[in-house]
Amino acid sequence: MATDTTQQSLSDWDNRHFLHPWEGMEDLGKNSRTFITGGQGIYVTTTDGQRLIDGPGGMWCVQLGYGNAEIAEAIAQQAKELGYFSPFSNTSPVSARLAHELARRAPGDLNHVFFTTGGSTAVDTALRFIHFRNNLLDKPRKKVVITRRKAYHGSTYLSASVSDTERTRVWFDQDHENVCFLPDVNPVRRRAGVSVEAFLNEKVADLENAILTLGADRVAAFIAEPILASGGVIVPPEGYHKRCLEVCRRHDVLYISDEVVTGFGRLGHWFASEPEFDIVPDIIICAKGLTCGYVPMGACIISDRLIADISGDKSKGAVFSGGFTYSGHPVAAAAALKTIEIFERDGILEHVRNVTPLFAERLATLGKLPIVNSTRGKGLVGCVECGDNSLAIDQKVGAQIDRRCQELGLILRPIVNMCVFSPPLIITADEINKMFDILERGIRIASDDLM
Ligand code: PLP
């Protein structure tokens, strides 16, 4: 094994051998990525000793921050006790306990937990489960999934097929035979003269019209993130999800709420669907914050109602043959149980609700800066959108702001002309102020650069 770990060797190895997610092929092998070597609380450290606030909280996942010794200890303890077992025929105490704890916290009758390796595989599982269920119910034509422009549901073939990132659309094949896209639900983008209420009516009608056009006998499900996260933190108008659920119920269409980002405290609740959006969906997807990002795990939580009519005597011989080697992995389950325990002991959900007004107030004031055209967010997730998407210069402005902020001590997540941030949920009021002070300075410097 190579032991030469000088910075230059690491950079060379990274460039030559590590094909990163969203790798830019034109610059392959020529990148100079920052090496992150450690972290504590909301901060990460780089090889050259810089200490940076992690604005995106990893990838919206490191809810309890870095260097959490209790989670690390729980992982180590479980690995020593039982590092793995096959979930296909046996089970383990930690995974059974975690399934129980998730069922207790999920809304309504969502009591059946299928564990996966992350968010994409949980979305895949939900879609495959729905197909499986409709086959069993003798509704083989009912397979279409309705999704939305700008949605992101994952990177496996099926979850990417119900996603709408420009890169995927342009450079990959997607399976759209049983997929239907609704237009953008961003109220900021509504036509001039259209009220938010009229826009809401239009968006709900988009869903109902799609179902009627396709035929309810063909439409199996509607999948939606409560807030479109990677699509640019798009918060649909108030009442949108509730009215969409009503449309789904009218036409026997299932509602899948993708809470990979909004779950596990990001909006101040275990799951945001019911307390924030007044819906009890049929399936909830969660991942990321579930294990605080320390080890991979996802979950697809299915309602009793959906299971009831396809189990027992009427389904003789039927097997839901979906499953992963690592479904319900004991080490990941131990990390998730410890995350839940710390959330409760330290009042993390209450803390998020307490600091949210400050976060929202500071976010709103960024809207007054010269190149910013809108700010939006909910809970501890925010987005600053700059300029006009159609200007060539604006395509780089997110990266430009991120670069300037990093020089000042803050990492952001640039998405085209936007910067998105979702810090660890343990962030204090002082740290929120510090983060926004840097962000404001970074945006001012970037705007001077561009003028
Ligand atoms: N769903 C949503 C809403 C996401 O934001 C993501 C990832 O960012 C996924 C699904 C996919 O999760 P994973 O990357 O764990 O597969």
Side-chain angles (χ1 to χ4, degrees):
M1 193 203 293
T3 51
D4 173 12
T5 52
T6 62
Q7 189 52 43
Q8 191 51 50
S9 308
L10 288 171
S11 291
D12 288 348
W13 294 341
D14 194 72
N15 268 323
R16 268 191 277 144
H17 306 301
F18 186 174
L19 201 55
H20 286 258
W22 293 0
E23 188 76 72
M25 299 313 282
E26 191 180 337
D27 293 327
L28 185 67
K30 293 184 237 152
N31 281 308
S32 52
R33 288 190 164 88
T34 305
F35 278 77
I36 304 293
T37 51
Q40 198 60 49
I42 64 161
Y43 292 92
V44 290
T45 39
T46 66
T47 25
D48 48 16
Q50 215 192 348
R51 193 166 167 262
L52 302 161
I53 296 176
D54 182 19
M59 280 280 278
W60 355 65
C61 58
V62 188
Q63 319 296 65
L64 297 173
Y66 294 91
N68 188 301
E70 290 177 279
I71 300 178
E73 184 52 39
I75 290 171
Q77 187 55 37
Q78 184 59 46
K80 281 187 233 164
E81 215 167 287
L82 176 69
Y84 177 76
F85 72 98
S86 160
F88 285 73
S89 49
N90 294 306
T91 190
S92 80
V94 267
S95 358
R97 264 185 61 209
L98 179 59
H100 169 70
E101 296 297 339
L102 289 177
R104 275 183 57 202
R105 286 165 180 81
D109 69 340
L110 277 79
N111 287 321
H112 287 81
V113 182
F114 188 98
F115 289 113
T116 67
T117 53
S120 309
T121 45
V123 169
D124 245 50
T125 299
L127 301 181
R128 294 190 70 222
F129 171 79
I130 284 169
H131 289 173
F132 166 77
R133 182 172 181 274
N134 283 345
N135 288 340
L136 269 174
L137 294 176
D138 205 17
K139 296 178 186 169
R141 268 170 54 80
K142 205 167 168 64
K143 295 285 163 62
V144 176
V145 176
I146 299 182
T147 179
R148 299 165 310 160
R149 290 286 165 218
K150 296 224 162 31
Y152 182 72
H153 295 293
S155 222
T156 56
Y157 199 78
L158 201 48
S159 62
S161 293
V162 294
S163 300
D164 178 50
T165 60
E166 198 184 331
R167 294 184 189 101
T168 311
R169 217 182 310 130
V170 174
W171 300 109
F172 281 86
D173 291 344
Q174 292 170 289
D175 182 358
H176 285 162
E177 193 190 331
N178 280 319
V179 175
C180 164
F181 283 90
L182 301 180
D184 195 349
V185 293
N186 189 353
V188 177
R189 295 256 176 278
R190 68 188 189 277
R191 297 182 307 283
V194 174
S195 68
V196 174
E197 202 189 341
F199 180 78
L200 168 63
N201 291 336
E202 199 181 287
K203 295 298 113 186
V204 176
D206 284 345
L207 173 61
E208 188 143 35
N209 290 337
I211 296 173
L212 293 172
T213 306
L214 289 156
D217 61 326
R218 287 194 57 213
V219 182
F222 173 57
I223 183 165
E225 300 158 77
I227 294 174
L228 290 110
S230 303
V233 186
I234 297 169
V235 186
E238 201 168 334
Y240 170 80
H241 291 291
K242 190 171 163 57
R243 288 189 48 198
C244 285
L245 179 66
E246 284 162 8
V247 169
C248 288
R249 291 280 178 262
R250 266 203 296 282
H251 298 285
D252 183 29
V253 169
L254 300 178
Y255 195 111
I256 307 170
S257 186
D258 182 346
E259 292 231 35
V260 166
V261 169
T262 56
F264 268 76
R266 181 62 50 201
L267 306 192
H269 311 281
W270 291 112
F271 299 104
S273 289
E274 192 176 28
E276 283 291 336
F277 302 100
D278 202 12
I279 60 165
V280 176
D282 298 294
I283 295 180
I284 283 181
I285 307 297
C286 80
K288 294 192 188 276
L290 171 61
T291 54
C292 211
Y294 279 42
V295 280
M297 181 177 242
C300 168
I301 313 176
I302 304 172
S303 82
D304 289 343
R305 184 175 68 88
L306 262 56
I307 298 282
D309 54 8
I310 55 159
S311 54
D313 285 347
K314 51 192 162 307
S315 301
K316 277 207 167 62
V319 175
F320 179 58
S321 54
F324 305 100
T325 300
Y326 302 125
S327 288
H329 196 288
V331 174
L337 284 171
K338 186 53 77 175
T339 298
I340 292 172
E341 185 189 319
I342 299 172
F343 261 63
E344 291 202 319
R345 186 196 63 203
D346 296 352
I348 298 296
L349 300 177
E350 294 77 13
H351 169 72
V352 171
R353 295 201 287 268
N354 288 339
V355 294
T356 287
L358 171 66
F359 187 91
E361 184 195 315
R362 293 292 316 253
L363 177 62
T365 58
L366 298 178
K368 301 191 187 102
L369 296 178
I371 53 171
V372 175
N373 78 19
S374 83
T375 61
R376 48 187 183 264
K378 205 168 177 60
L380 289 188
V381 54
C383 172
V384 176
E385 183 165 350
C386 297
D388 172 344
N389 215 354
S390 62
L391 295 175
I393 197 170
D394 292 332
Q395 301 298 317
K396 295 201 187 95
V397 73
Q400 191 114 345
I401 294 170
D402 178 44
R403 191 167 60 80
R404 288 307 194 176
C405 283
Q406 285 208 32
E407 287 163 6
L408 299 168
L410 168 68
I411 299 174
L412 297 168
R413 177 155 181 228
I415 305 176
V416 199
N417 64 331
M418 295 173 273
C419 281
V420 168
F421 33 94
S422 49
L425 307 182
I426 52 164
I427 192 167
T428 63
D430 282 350
E431 288 169 339
I432 288 177
N433 280 321
K434 187 168 177 193
M435 185 183 90
F436 278 103
D437 288 348
I438 297 177
L439 187 49
E440 192 173 326
R441 278 179 58 209
I443 294 173
R444 283 188 193 284
I445 298 171
S447 73
D448 288 346
D449 295 343
L450 293 168
M451 298 296 170

